Every structure is written in C-alpha cells, then in structure tokens.
Amino acid sequence: MKITCGIILEKPNGQILICHPTNAHKNSWSIPKGLNEDLEDFWETAKRELLEETSIDLNQFDYTMSEISRLFIYKNKRKCLKAFLVKLNDEEINKVKLECKSFVDDLFPEIDKFVWTSPEEALKLLHQTQVEAIQAGSELSDFG
C-alpha cells in the first residue's frame, strides 16, 4: 500500500491551507501532501511535499507539530494518508507567496490554487480521507 504524507497547516487565526490540484474538478481540494519515497521518514516526506507544492519552508517559521497517530485508508485501499498537524505560532506566513514548484510531466504545476479557509469550510471541500484526518486533528487543536 502506498503512503501519502500530508500537513494540516493552521495559521494563528485558525484557518487551514487547502490546495487545488491542476486539472482536477473545481470542487476537488486537498491538504498539501505526496507520496513517501523509499526509506524517507514520514515527517520528512510531509515537509518536502509542503515545500514543493506551496513554497512554504517550515524551517523559516516558529511552529508546533503534532503527529496524528493513525493512518487514514482511502476507499480504493491502495493508498493511505499519514497526517501531521502544524500550528504556526506567528503571522510571518502571510508574507509567503504561495507557489507550486512541483510539475506534472514537466508541463504544468501539480497545484494551481491555494486557499486559507476555516476548518468547517475545508471539511466541505476535501476528500473523505482528509476530512477524517482533520477531524482526528481537531482533538489536538482548537478547530473542528
């Protein structure tokens, strides 16, 4: 089973970041995430994918990270999600220009839109597996 690792990124005001994959249905949104590479630590995968898909380098910010303890299995059972909750502790994130550096077949960026939104609104737009991760993360945060 493939493992995709992602970050539920929360600003100090409680908003979380969701991304729209290029060429996906207009209502298809995701947390920043991607496949784990051989022998790569899950946290390292999640941070790498965040950087590639959004240009956010967590090394530049004050944050707290909580690992969500369980895996979330996709309905097709060929992939599962390992999620981390990252709470940013300052407003410096507002200065970042969100930009995807990861390209599909070297032709177009993986992600074409970014939105900071309330957790309630995100739950309406995300894949069920990611909804479950956010709901589990709500036990670690003030949102949900």
Side-chain angles (χ1 to χ4, degrees):
M1 181 179 296
K2 293 181 179 181
I3 299 174
T4 185
C5 303
I7 291 178
I8 301 164
L9 188 64
E10 181 183 354
K11 285 169 67 168
N13 68 5
Q15 291 182 318
I16 61 172
L17 180 65
I18 59 174
C19 309
H20 182 266
T22 305
N23 293 335
H25 184 272
K26 69 177 184 174
N27 291 329
S28 179
W29 292 80
S30 175
I31 62 171
K33 63 173 182 41
L35 289 176
N36 176 260
E37 296 177 357
D38 293 334
L39 303 175
E40 186 178 33
D41 177 83
F42 294 149
W43 173 235
E44 292 304 317
T45 298
K47 290 191 304 183
R48 174 180 52 77
E49 288 292 336
L50 180 70
L51 179 61
E52 290 174 5
E53 293 185 353
T54 69
S55 299
I56 296 172
D57 181 356
L58 284 179
N59 295 325
Q60 307 290 321
F61 298 96
D62 178 32
Y63 67 89
T64 55
M65 181 275 283
S66 300
E67 181 176 350
I68 299 173
S69 59
R70 72 181 188 94
L71 295 174
F72 302 89
I73 299 174
Y74 284 75
K75 287 182 182 175
N76 66 19
K77 297 189 166 78
R78 289 181 274 177
K79 184 169 68 170
C80 64
L81 171 66
K82 176 63 180 171
F84 299 87
L85 173 64
V86 173
K87 296 176 77 170
L88 297 167
N89 297 322
D90 59 52
E91 295 292 339
E92 291 299 307
I93 191 66
N94 294 324
K95 298 177 183 176
V96 173
K97 180 181 183 242
L98 297 172
E99 177 182 25
C100 182
K101 297 178 183 177
S102 179
F103 283 75
V104 175
D105 299 327
D106 294 326
L107 297 175
F108 54 88
E110 276 187 77
I111 304 297
D112 63 3
K113 295 178 192 142
F114 308 92
V115 173
W116 289 100
T117 188
S118 71
E120 297 80 19
E121 191 61 30
L123 293 175
K124 297 175 189 174
L125 298 170
L126 294 171
H127 185 278
Q128 182 59 35
T129 306
Q130 295 170 40
V131 167
E132 292 172 18
I134 287 176
Q135 289 169 335
S138 70
E139 298 169 8
L140 307 171
S141 179
D142 295 333
F143 67 69

